Amino acid sequence: RDSLNIIYWSQGVELLSDLGYLWDHPESNKTKRTLAHNTVIIDEEEQGTWVRKGTVHNFVSEAQVKGMRASAKPYAQAKRYERVVALVDHGNGRSYVVDVFWVEGGHTQDYVYHGPNDDWTISGISPATTKSSTFFGRWWKNASQNSAQTTLSLIPKPEGVYDLKNVQTLAEPSDVVRLQWAVPQGRTFSVWHLPVQQESLFIGDGWGQRSSTNQDLGATLPYVVRRTGGAGIKSFVSLFEASPAQEPFVRNTRLIPHPEQKTGVIALEVTTAMGTDIVAITPKAGSYQFNTSLGRLTTRSTLTVLTVQEGKATFLQEGNQKSHFQPY
């Protein structure tokens, strides 16, 4: 029961996984159920398994951007259940993924994923400050970038969430949250949460066994649940990145405010070791304008990725829509 589930590998390392199948194991439902997948659960219910109407709406495969938009109907109460995933690749193993999930319907909406292991930390991130800028080679280079990072406190949640054990929740709110896992090959897997609306965050131990012959009996993984509630469109925005532990490629990211943000118009500034990217993802066609720290972006594309080269904007986007960038 895995509509709009995603998996993510980088440099041969599994980061966002599918737990596979336990076949005729008595606990086989633990890997079939929706909670075992990296997707959205409505009203803590299982997805339906028939007539889910999974549809691919857009697909783009360029040298630096791979993107896909898809929707499904796994819940009767869902007016919208749609996901856009864009892989932005700067070459030489330097890449990241932007994930936007729109959901509407039900009383609660849970964006769920599970981490690759138990070696993780959580922190809050404040926006970067830029002192000066120059053009360097192909990409826009910020001469000085600083971002404050604070370790967040988690406290027990006695009543639990689903059947997760040792559930914890945030002791204090933070606009942007980053979870980091130590993974093989001396790398770090980072997940950035960029909340559009009020979210509750829960982390607990869930089913991690993958062997149908019980070779890893009792294995658990950390399950992350980002919960919203109520009517209207909910947008879950995330950024995933795997990088050498001592040399992260993504240094910071933030949402770019937009009057229609609460209806699903999303744009991110992504500060990297090479400069700044703008990623804009919109729920429908139309003309959209974003005031970024670099200038004003106007686009009619539903997926736009902007870089700057030798003082000129370079666009990599879905479709043939025109975009315009006016530097400040």
Side-chain angles (χ1 to χ4, degrees):
R1 296 180 281 277
D2 60 354
S3 284
L4 301 196
N5 175 52
I6 62 172
I7 60 174
Y8 180 36
W9 287 64
S10 178
Q11 304 292 310
V13 177
E14 184 183 45
L15 303 172
L16 291 177
S17 64
D18 188 302
L19 294 175
Y21 298 92
L22 293 178
W23 305 107
D24 59 352
H25 192 284
E27 296 281 8
S28 62
N29 184 61
K30 289 294 197 300
T31 59
K32 295 177 183 177
R33 61 183 182 167
T34 308
L35 183 65
H37 297 90
N38 307 302
T39 188
V40 166
I41 302 175
I42 296 179
D43 294 338
E44 301 187 49
E45 296 177 0
E46 289 293 301
Q47 291 184 353
T49 56
W50 300 101
V51 197
R52 289 185 283 188
K53 299 181 180 179
T55 302
V56 174
H57 299 280
N58 303 92
F59 188 89
V60 60
S61 181
E62 302 290 344
Q64 289 174 290
V65 176
K66 310 290 191 291
M68 181 173 173
R69 177 189 299 254
S71 67
K73 295 285 187 181
Y75 291 100
Q77 66 269 47
K79 299 177 182 178
R80 186 168 202 146
Y81 197 86
E82 187 171 353
R83 189 170 209 164
V84 177
V85 179
L87 171 65
V88 181
D89 190 351
H90 286 259
N92 297 319
R94 297 167 299 192
S95 67
Y96 60 87
V97 173
V98 174
D99 175 34
V100 176
F101 204 124
W102 296 296
V103 60
E104 183 179 9
H107 300 290
T108 61
Q109 305 83 24
D110 291 339
Y111 176 101
V112 177
Y113 67 93
H114 53 268
N117 57 49
D118 290 319
D119 189 0
W120 59 274
T121 59
I122 184 171
S123 57
I125 307 295
S126 64
T129 59
T130 302
K131 294 182 179 179
S132 61
S133 301
T134 57
F135 290 110
F136 178 77
R138 182 174 181 184
W139 303 95
W140 181 275
K141 175 77 172 179
N142 287 328
S144 178
Q145 297 163 347
N146 302 303
S147 61
Q149 175 175 319
T150 58
T151 300
L152 297 178
S153 298
L154 294 170
I155 58 175
K157 187 178 188 301
E159 62 270 31
V161 177
Y162 297 98
D163 62 353
L164 303 179
K165 307 298 183 184
N166 305 315
V167 177
Q168 302 176 84
T169 187
L170 275 181
E172 64 269 355
S174 179
D175 288 338
V176 178
V177 170
R178 179 172 64 186
L179 277 78
Q180 293 182 291
W181 279 266
V183 294
Q185 302 178 7
R187 296 173 69 81
T188 297
F189 173 45
S190 299
V191 183
W192 305 71
H193 302 176
L194 296 99
V196 174
Q197 59 282 309
Q198 183 66 40
E199 292 184 7
S200 298
L201 175 63
F202 310 113
I203 304 174
D205 298 328
W207 184 271
Q209 179 177 334
R210 305 177 78 166
S211 169
S212 61
T213 57
N214 293 335
Q215 294 179 19
D216 56 348
L217 182 66
T220 62
L221 290 171
Y223 282 57
V224 181
V225 180
R226 297 166 60 186
R227 173 168 293 179
T228 63
I233 295 175
K234 311 298 181 183
S235 302
F236 292 102
V237 182
S238 311
L239 186 147
F240 307 113
E241 184 220 5
S243 63
Q246 303 304 318
E247 192 180 353
F249 180 60
V250 175
R251 304 296 173 81
N252 209 338
T253 184
R254 73 175 185 94
L255 288 173
I256 300 170
H258 189 276
E260 298 179 61
Q261 183 169 283
K262 289 187 176 181
T263 64
V265 177
I266 302 298
L268 287 74
E269 278 194 23
V270 183
T271 306
T272 72
M274 301 172 70
T276 301
D277 294 346
I278 308 299
V279 182
I281 298 173
T282 62
K284 59 183 180 180
S287 181
Y288 299 93
Q289 188 175 95
F290 303 94
N291 293 317
T292 79
S293 66
L294 303 178
R296 184 173 292 109
L297 168 66
T298 304
T299 181
R300 297 186 63 84
S301 177
T302 55
L303 169 60
T304 302
V305 179
L306 165 70
T307 66
V308 177
Q309 179 181 4
E310 297 178 355
K312 296 182 180 179
T314 300
F315 292 93
L316 301 166
Q317 62 189 37
E318 168 268 317
N320 298 313
Q321 301 291 347
K322 298 293 183 181
S323 296
H324 176 71
F325 180 70
Q326 180 61 51
Y328 291 139

